[in-house]
Amino acid sequence: MASPKYIFVVGGVMSGIGKGVASSAIGRIMQSKGYKTTAIKIDPYINVDAGTMNPTEHGEVFVLDDGYETDQDMGNYERFLGETLPSINYMTTGRVYQEVIRRERNLEYKGKNVEVVPDIPLEVIRRITEAQKAANADVTLIEVGGTIGEYQNIIFLEAARMLKQKYPHDVGVVMLSYVPIPGNIGEMKTKPTQYAARSLNSVGLQADVILARAAVPIDEKRKEKIAIFCNILPERVISAPDVESIYDVPINYEKDGLGDILCDVLGLERRPTDLSAWEAFVKKSKNGSKKINIAVVGKYFESGEYVLADAYISVLEALKHAAYSQDLGVKLSYLDSEGYEQDPAKLSELKNYDGVLVPGGFGSRGVEGIIAAIQFAREQKIPYFGLCYGMQLLTIEYARNVAGLAGANTAEINKDAPHPIIDVMPGQEDLLTKQDYGGTMRLGTYPCVLKEGTIAHGAYGSGEVAERHRHRYEVNPEYIQKLSDAGLVFSGTSPDGRLMEIAELSKDVHPFMLGTQFHPEFLSRPLSPHPLFVAFIKAASK
Ligand code: GLN
């Protein structure tokens, strides 16, 4: 086997142009050439993990199998690669420093001066090579968060430089740059990309490939220009225009032969790229002329639509995968639940949707409005899917309005509720008192046993599944009997029967009313949509 190869993906000019998708797409291409591929994300934040970052600012917190709370790009990698990635594949500045400081305190540096350079980049490199080994990867992608020229990520670029200095033939650098077309000029301008390439040079790195992100495909003239000024071959400037769907990206890159170029850069044998399964999925994704309208009900986010979509990206993608598999499209509308608290008449807008979904969440804001929406969906028989908080609130609504438990609530909102239907999990109380919040929820994959004859069992087609979690509260065991007697079916539980993992209503009373304590959205993949999302979409399409 050839020595392991590394591709650093860095961003030029500005952020938010899809570096995560670009890295994922490159991963898919190299994998489709038969190279075992893994992907690493570096976030230049002091936060030790993404669990303490606000999703409305940073985007979704993506939970890995092993429970690590990471950036949404890890979700993109898993979806594009169809792989399960471990925590070693995600690092932040905080995580790296924490480890170096821990070692220093343990005298592991044997009394020498521990310095930012080289000790921090060396720890970054150690993590990269560990991830490579864990995956036994031929190709390891490393996406460096932020933009070149920023103060924050310089230490990670230094790690790239040091790795390349050590293995000059095994490290490649891809720069994703933005090529604007200013309205008043009407022409593609390459100057910002030229500056970005020079900034990269100033930290000792040279781009091998430049992905030219722009509204439209880049023309030959601009390719030549970027090539000359950025010191690369013109064919290594890859067109990266805006696309209808992120899943088009690998196919687009391959039109410019990106996979073979990367093989050349890394000294790998050029192998044919087999994207046939991917192409079939993309083709199917465009069949859906009928769009299913899903209302995502939650608390109001003032940060605007764009960020909102990012906060629920795995939910959105999971809905897409499920819809595409049924030759359908999907449209999401984000509805503010606080509006229902002020004006309950507004709830009737839910009649315009084929399904209602309540995603995960925390805290009290807008919750009464969500509960009102759940009641509406239940009574009007609109398919309802609740994820984590959405399952807990489904249970509360049922307790209050069907089981006759007035004032039922979650202890997260009201510790003194007359009926704490949702209560803090054993062991969590202590953590909350100590304000020990970081990485302490019930996190990661746990098994779930399904009850025969239920919607969940029918959808999964098996008796035991494993799903990813991120929560501190659970259905209070003291109320399980009362709720079951009132008709709520706990169709999935932990193997010991203690934790309620899925709650649903029988098909006889409602077409689809189901909530999961876990986050099924994290396991949906383009080529293998999640069974519960498929079941929800099927119900919504009727
Ligand atoms: N806030 C709830 C809990 O901590 C639900 C969490 C979530 O939706 N991820 O249990």
Side-chain angles (χ1 to χ4, degrees):
M1 189 184 113
S3 45
K5 307 291 180 181
Y6 301 90
I7 302 172
F8 284 85
V9 181
V10 301
V13 180
M14 65 185 204
S15 66
I17 52 173
K19 205 157 9 100
V21 170
S23 307
S24 306
I26 293 172
R28 183 81 206 185
I29 291 170
M30 297 314 282
Q31 187 191 55
S32 301
K33 284 184 173 294
Y35 290 113
K36 180 114 185 54
T37 302
T38 194
I40 296 171
K41 172 75 194 267
I42 296 177
D43 261 339
Y45 302 107
I46 296 294
N47 304 59
V48 172
D49 57 40
T52 54
M53 295 188 216
N54 184 345
T56 58
E57 272 175 41
H58 181 72
E60 167 186 275
V61 178
F62 188 83
V63 181
L64 301 179
D65 253 0
D66 59 20
Y68 208 49
E69 295 168 285
T70 72
D71 177 80
Q72 54 172 324
D73 283 327
M74 295 297 287
N76 280 323
Y77 303 163
E78 285 202 348
R79 286 187 282 271
F80 275 73
L81 293 172
E83 298 271 346
T84 296
L85 300 173
S87 57
I88 190 71
N89 287 43
Y90 180 70
M91 72 184 101
T92 64
T93 303
R95 184 74 190 87
V96 172
Y97 271 81
Q98 189 188 48
E99 176 58 22
V100 170
I101 291 168
R102 185 198 65 75
R103 249 187 265 146
E104 182 277 330
R105 293 286 81 185
N106 288 354
L107 269 178
E108 286 178 40
Y109 289 97
K110 302 193 172 21
K112 84 172 181 65
N113 281 5
V114 184
E115 300 188 84
V116 172
V117 178
D119 294 297
I120 297 297
L122 282 175
E123 167 59 13
V124 174
I125 291 171
R126 187 192 68 79
R127 297 181 72 86
I128 291 171
T129 46
E130 198 181 309
Q132 181 278 323
K133 280 192 205 103
N136 193 22
D138 302 314
V139 176
T140 301
L141 279 150
I142 306 106
E143 178 189 345
V144 181
T147 311
I148 301 154
E150 254 172 41
Y151 206 67
Q152 292 209 76
N153 58 15
I154 201 121
I155 208 74
F156 299 109
L157 299 173
E158 180 66 0
R161 187 194 66 76
M162 283 167 63
L163 193 66
K164 184 153 178 98
Q165 189 257 347
K166 193 163 172 197
Y167 305 110
H169 306 296
D170 298 328
V171 178
V173 178
V174 173
M175 182 173 88
L176 180 76
S177 191
Y178 189 69
V179 192
I181 308 172
N184 57 334
I185 305 176
E187 185 194 304
M188 230 181 217
K189 302 306 279 179
T190 64
K191 192 73 79 191
T193 299
Q194 297 174 32
Y195 282 127
R198 280 193 203 153
S199 300
L200 192 59
N201 293 156
S202 73
V203 294
L205 291 169
Q206 164 66 47
D208 297 296
V209 172
I210 292 178
L211 307 174
R213 276 289 290 115
V216 296
I218 185 165
D219 59 348
E220 287 309 314
K221 193 170 158 212
R222 258 30 72 156
K223 274 193 181 182
E224 291 280 351
K225 203 158 181 185
I226 290 180
I228 292 170
F229 286 100
C230 301
N231 197 28
I232 69 173
L233 297 168
E235 57 269 28
R236 293 187 179 185
V237 180
I238 307 292
S239 199
D242 288 348
V243 281
E244 204 184 309
S245 149
I246 54 170
Y247 299 117
D248 290 329
V249 174
I251 300 167
N252 251 3
Y253 286 169
E254 268 307 85
K255 284 185 195 149
D256 279 1
L258 178 59
D260 281 344
I261 290 170
L262 288 170
C263 287
D264 295 350
V265 167
L266 298 170
L268 286 171
E269 174 202 347
R270 283 189 176 198
R271 294 181 186 162
T273 314
D274 179 11
L275 280 171
S276 51
W278 192 262
E279 275 162 344
F281 158 75
V282 170
K283 192 154 171 267
K284 209 164 159 52
S285 77
K286 293 180 178 164
N287 286 348
S289 48
K290 184 177 161 204
K291 274 202 162 60
I292 304 299
N293 280 305
I294 302 294
V296 178
V297 177
K299 63 182 162 185
Y300 178 68
F301 292 113
E302 47 270 273
S303 315
E305 288 247 335
Y306 172 78
V307 180
L308 231 178
D310 258 14
Y312 299 122
I313 179 159
S314 292
V315 176
L316 172 61
E317 296 309 317
L319 285 167
K320 284 192 203 163
H321 305 156
Y324 298 162
S325 75
Q326 304 303 306
D327 288 315
L328 295 164
V330 66
K331 184 177 181 298
L332 258 67
S333 307
Y334 297 96
L335 306 183
D336 160 25
S337 63
E338 280 181 313
Y340 304 144
E341 293 171 4
Q342 286 134 23
D343 177 13
K346 265 194 90 189
L347 282 165
S348 64
E349 71 179 357
L350 293 173
K351 279 191 180 152
N352 304 328
Y353 295 91
D354 305 310
V356 173
L357 184 146
V358 172
F362 297 86
S364 62
R365 199 165 157 200
V367 159
E368 286 305 320
I370 297 179
I371 293 174
I374 296 173
Q375 180 178 4
F376 191 88
R378 181 175 56 75
E379 291 175 350
Q380 302 293 321
K381 302 203 191 306
I382 305 169
Y384 171 83
F385 195 14
L387 311 175
C388 205
Y389 214 14
M391 175 266 201
Q392 297 176 353
L393 300 177
L394 172 159
T395 310
I396 291 169
E397 190 280 318
Y398 203 79
R400 285 185 191 174
N401 301 322
V402 183
L405 299 165
N409 213 334
T410 163
E412 180 172 354
I413 295 179
N414 180 6
K415 279 203 185 68
D416 306 315
H419 297 293
I421 295 296
I422 305 296
D423 204 2
V424 69
M425 302 185 71
Q428 287 288 339
E429 187 93 70
D430 243 22
L431 296 165
L432 292 176
T433 322
K434 284 191 287 194
Q435 294 187 307
D436 186 359
Y437 299 124
T440 60
M441 283 187 243
R442 178 174 180 238
L443 290 167
T445 298
Y446 288 92
C448 167
V449 178
L450 304 169
K451 199 183 205 155
E452 256 175 80
T454 58
I455 296 179
H457 192 279
Y460 281 108
S462 79
E464 186 172 328
V465 294
E467 293 279 0
R468 295 183 189 172
H469 296 69
R470 182 171 189 252
H471 62 114
R472 283 188 208 282
Y473 296 83
E474 58 162 334
V475 175
N476 187 339
E478 283 173 32
Y479 284 92
I480 292 168
Q481 196 56 50
K482 271 205 179 94
L483 292 165
S484 307
D485 291 347
L488 191 63
V489 180
F490 291 107
S491 51
T493 66
S494 56
D496 64 4
R498 223 201 74 80
L499 298 163
M500 300 303 107
E501 300 281 30
I502 309 176
E504 62 179 74
L505 291 188
S506 147
K507 262 210 164 96
D508 308 333
V509 296
H510 195 287
F512 189 96
M513 187 93 201
L514 184 145
T516 59
Q517 182 58 80
F518 47 81
H519 288 274
E521 68 270 26
F522 293 146
L523 292 185
S524 178
R525 307 278 180 263
L527 307 185
S528 53
H530 193 284
L532 291 180
F533 277 89
V534 173
F536 173 56
I537 286 289
K538 276 187 179 165
S541 71
K542 282 189 188 131

